[in-house]
């Protein structure tokens, strides 16, 4: 069993690894080497969370996402809420007003119906809160041991206002980078129940809808270049994706990125970087410099954006890379994560 | 964030940097022993704040990096056995063995679980009496007491299905090797604060005296590091070679006696191979004979596994401070975190990983 140096990549990645779902480099590689070549078409090229397509003269944003979170109930939310907000947020990031959702469920034999009732009720509440209707669905059951209780897929449709074209391709050097609130809460909240780690300060997930923030910006006359919600892979992954896809550099100030003390403490203990920890209710907005101040005010005018801050600027130096200015005034790279972020030993 | 902010305050950092600049009259090489310190230094750019000529050299202080490749191969072989639940701290999962790693074992159907405490592994063993539960006991003196405690706990519960695969290493013998080397370039040492919190500072006095080298026990936050550097440089400039304690808010001279006692009860000191470096006499811990029943190497009789290191990896030199990661010809090309040739590229505390993460795109 010699280590083959000439052909190392297939040795490590000829089967699916957890890292392929982590939102980092491995997932991007999988998309580029398998999915995009297989499915290539102009709508997919937009590299957005939602595709924008035309139907009968209307511009529609269309997106889908599958939710496999363990545990299914966590501080601040549950898998049902997440499945609605996740898809609503993907639509909102394309500038669309979310309107219709589908819900596909894969249930494992033996899964308690009482829990399904709770999850469904929670999906309904979340849908009502976002003004969307769940108009179609599907249910499959798999043998015991071949599922995780419940998996939920949601797809969503919403109309995109005429003339609005959000996406990495619109981002320009000089644009301001805004963040709608503190980062890392969802990942830590889930870990605290999944892995039985008790943190001194309990952390609640930030799981919530973002369509209201987007509407506030658009109605307030701001013309964002690009919007992204930070999910798996956290803020760092969003910034890296935009830097790569838009071929720009991004400079951010580490001190300006809000992290709750409980999240910071938990990360410190586990050796994780909060900038890579998942969020489920945080938006990154790239807006023209001239509109930055107004956009911040608009975001802060809503409760879910009360903690909005400016974290950085787009530059034409170092395209494809995100640099952080540290508290000590030095600079470092904020890279795309390789694989999953793993808690350290000591 | 009060606790952390205190140790990252920019104004205080600037004052310390000024003090260091005012102190230094000639070039000095300081080695930070611990990988956690290395990451903080590279992450906050502390090396860039130091006066010209003062170099920080990264030491062997990452337990993930120095776990011998045979032991990773043994872990892989055990984890792949049917009926085994293999428990590990997260950062061991990506470390390359000669042909595979624990992540890969998991994707091929092995039951490999990330735990946050060895006691979680004991609990898993108690809940799964029909299966063998193995915990990968890796780390310096910092994690050894808790790992020892897990063995005592398993014995108290009468568990016959719990064992540990031990790869504990000790810091002072490694420092002896670094300081005693004929190629030595190190003038002063920043010792690892967490290790000293358990073991105390006594073991460092003979080292400082024998090798005429200042040793400052230092913690991990930017201000801690700057202060530790300042203390070590002041000693060098004044011609002193003493043990000083920057981390006195936590570290006591005698360490933590209760933790040391648990460690002593379960483990004894033995020779140990360090990945990339070789065997360092009396630098590791193994289970005492009384606990042989909890020794995964005996329970599973995994002999004869283990292949060669990648011939391209220079991590041994990196771990001894003799080579900067970017100076390795494989850095960033053949060797990346996605396809690491050595453990120093994947460990959360590895020096190659630190440079790959924080220092590219024209940042030196
Ligand atoms: S860059 Fe890779 S190959 Fe070179 S020393 Fe580091 S781990 Fe080994």
């Amino acid at each position: 069993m010699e280590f083959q140096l000439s052909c190392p990549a297939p040795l490590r990645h000829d089967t699916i690894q957890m890292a392929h779902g982590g939102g980092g480099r491995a997932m991007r590689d999988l998309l580029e080497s398998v999915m995009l070549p297989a499915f290539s078409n102009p709508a997919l090229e937009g590299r957005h969370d939602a595709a924008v397509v035309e139907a009968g003269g209307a511009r529609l944003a269309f997106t889908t996402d599958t939710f496999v979170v363990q545990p299914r109930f966590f501080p601040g939310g549950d898998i049902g809420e997440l499945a609605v907000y996740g898809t609503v947020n993907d639509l909102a990031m394309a500038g669309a007003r979310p309107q219709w959702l589908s819900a596909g469920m894969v249930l494992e034999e033996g899964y308690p119906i009482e829990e399904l009732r709770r999850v469904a009720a929670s999906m309904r509440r979340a849908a009502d809160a976002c003004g969307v209707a769940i108009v179609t669905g599907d249910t499959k059951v798999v043998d015991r041991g071949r599922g995780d209780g419940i998996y939920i897929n949601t797809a969503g449709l919403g109309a995109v206002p005429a003339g609005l074209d959000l996406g990495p391709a619109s981002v320009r050097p000089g644009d301001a980078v805004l963040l709608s609130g503190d980062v890392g809460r969802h990942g830590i909240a889930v870990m605290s129940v999944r892995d039985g780690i008790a943190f001194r300060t309990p952390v609640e997930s930030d799981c919530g809808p973002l369509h209201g923030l987007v509407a506030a910006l658009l109605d307030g006359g701001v013309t964002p270049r690009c919007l992204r919600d930070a999910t798996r892979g956290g803020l760092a992954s969003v910034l890296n994706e935009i830097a790569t896809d838009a071929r720009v550099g991004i400079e951010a100030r580490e001190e300006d990125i809000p992290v709750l003390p409980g999240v910071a403490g938990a990360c410190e203990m586990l050796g994780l970087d909060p900038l890579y920890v998942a969020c489920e209710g945080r938006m990154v907005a790239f807006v023209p410099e001239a509109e930055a101040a107004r956009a911040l005010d608009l975001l802060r005018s809503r409760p879910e954006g009360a903690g909005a801050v400016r974290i950085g600027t787009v530059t034409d130096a170092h395209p494809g890379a995100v640099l952080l200015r540290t508290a000590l005034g030095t600079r470092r790279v904020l890279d795309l994560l390789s694989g999953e972020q793993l808690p350290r030993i000591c | 964030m009060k606790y952390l902010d205190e140790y990252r305050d920019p104004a205080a950092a600037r004052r310390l940097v000024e003090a260091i600049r005012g102190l230094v009259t000639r070039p000095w090489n300081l080695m930070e022993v611990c990988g956690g310190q290395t990451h903080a230094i590279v992450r906050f750019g502390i090396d860039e704040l130091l006066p010209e000529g003062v170099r920080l050299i990264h030491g062997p202080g990452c337990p993930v990096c120095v776990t011998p490749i045979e032991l990773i191969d043994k872990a892989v072989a055990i984890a792949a056995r049917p009926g085994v639940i293999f428990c590990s701290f997260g950062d061991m999962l990506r470390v390359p063995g000669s042909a595979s790693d624990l992540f890969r074992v998991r994707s091929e159907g092995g039951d490999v679980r990330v735990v946050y405490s060895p006691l979680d592994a004991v609990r898993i063993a108690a809940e799964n009496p029909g299966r063998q539960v193995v915990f990968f006991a890796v780390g310096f003196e910092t994690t050894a007491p808790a790992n020892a405690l897990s063995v005592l706990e398993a014995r108290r519960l009468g568990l016959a299905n719990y064992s540990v695969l031990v790869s504990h290493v000790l810091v002072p013998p490694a420092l002896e090797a670094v300081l005693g080397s004929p190629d030595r370039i190190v003038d002063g040492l920043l010792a690892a604060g967490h290790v000293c919190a358990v073991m105390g500072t006594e073991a460092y006095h003979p080292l400082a005296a024998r090798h005429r080298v200042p040793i400052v026990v230092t913690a991990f936050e930017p201000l801690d590091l700057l202060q530790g550097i300042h203390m070590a440089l002041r000693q060098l400039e004044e011609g002193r070679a003493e043990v000083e304690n920057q981390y006195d808010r936590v570290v006591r001279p005698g360490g933590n006696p209760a933790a040391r006692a648990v460690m002593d009860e379960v483990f004894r000191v033995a020779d140990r191979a360090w990945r990339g470096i070789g065997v360092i006499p009396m630098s590791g811990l193994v289970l005492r004979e009384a606990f042989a029943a909890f020794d995964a190497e005996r329970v599973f009789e995994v002999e004869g596994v283990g292949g060669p290191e990648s011939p391209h990896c220079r991590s041994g030199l990196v771990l001894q401070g003799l080579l900067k990661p970017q100076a390795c010809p494989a850095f960033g090309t053949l060797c990346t975190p996605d396809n690491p040739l050595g453990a120093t590229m994947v460990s959360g505390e590895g020096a190659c990983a630190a440079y790959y993460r924080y220092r590219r795109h024209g940042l030196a």
Side-chain angles (χ1 to χ4, degrees), chain A residues 225-284:
Chain A
R225 315 268 202 195
C226 182
L227 303 171
R228 273 287 159 96
D229 60 334
T231 55
R232 277 168 308 174
L235 173 67
S237 300
V238 168
L239 296 180
N240 270 284
E241 275 167 28
I242 300 297
T244 309
D245 292 341
R247 293 187 195 84
V248 295
I250 296 176
E251 289 224 16
R253 274 166 53 97
E254 191 161 30
E255 276 170 288
D256 293 340
I257 301 171
V259 179
L260 283 190
V263 172
C267 285
E268 200 65 25
M269 193 178 112
L270 296 172
L272 304 177
D273 184 338
L275 304 190
Y276 293 93
V277 176
C279 311
E280 284 296 347
R282 291 295 176 258
M283 175 173 81
V284 183

Side-chain angles (χ1 to χ4, degrees), chain A residues 1-3 5 8 11-18 25 191 195 197 254-255 261 264 268 270 273 276 321 323 326-328 330-333 335 338-340 342-346, chain B residues 1 4 8 10 13 43-45 48-49 64 89-91 94 98-99 101 103-104 106-107 116 138 143 221-222 308 310 312 334 337-341 349 356-358 360-361 363:
Chain A
M1 288 220 282
E2 274 278 282
F3 190 92
L5 198 79
L11 177 75
R12 298 185 62 79
H13 290 326
D14 48 4
T15 57
I16 291 292
Q17 311 284 311
M18 285 309 286
R25 196 184 303 279
M191 252 188 241
D195 299 316
I197 317 166
E254 191 161 30
E255 276 170 288
E268 200 65 25
L270 296 172
D273 184 338
Y276 293 93
L323 295 191
T326 71
L328 304 188
T330 54
R331 293 196 309 169
R332 68 160 165 111
V333 177
D335 198 15
S338 307
E340 288 177 279
L342 299 169
R344 61 147 182 244
I345 285 183
C346 61
Chain B
M1 204 99 156
L4 289 181
R8 294 184 182 174
R43 179 172 171 197
F44 289 96
E48 294 166 30
L49 299 171
V64 175
F89 292 130
D91 47 3
R94 253 202 311 259
S98 59
D101 59 44
F103 256 129
R104 196 178 167 86
R106 189 162 87 178
S107 76
Y116 296 90
V138 177
T143 52
E221 291 298 328
S310 160
H312 297 261
L334 282 177
D338 293 305
N339 181 42
L341 297 184
E349 307 205 339
Y356 191 88
R357 268 184 85 164
Y358 302 132
R360 285 177 298 134
H361 304 289
L363 296 185

Side-chain angles (χ1 to χ4, degrees), chain A residues 37-49:
Chain A
F39 303 136
S40 94
N41 64 55
L44 204 52
E45 292 302 309
R47 284 301 184 87
H48 218 303
D49 294 341

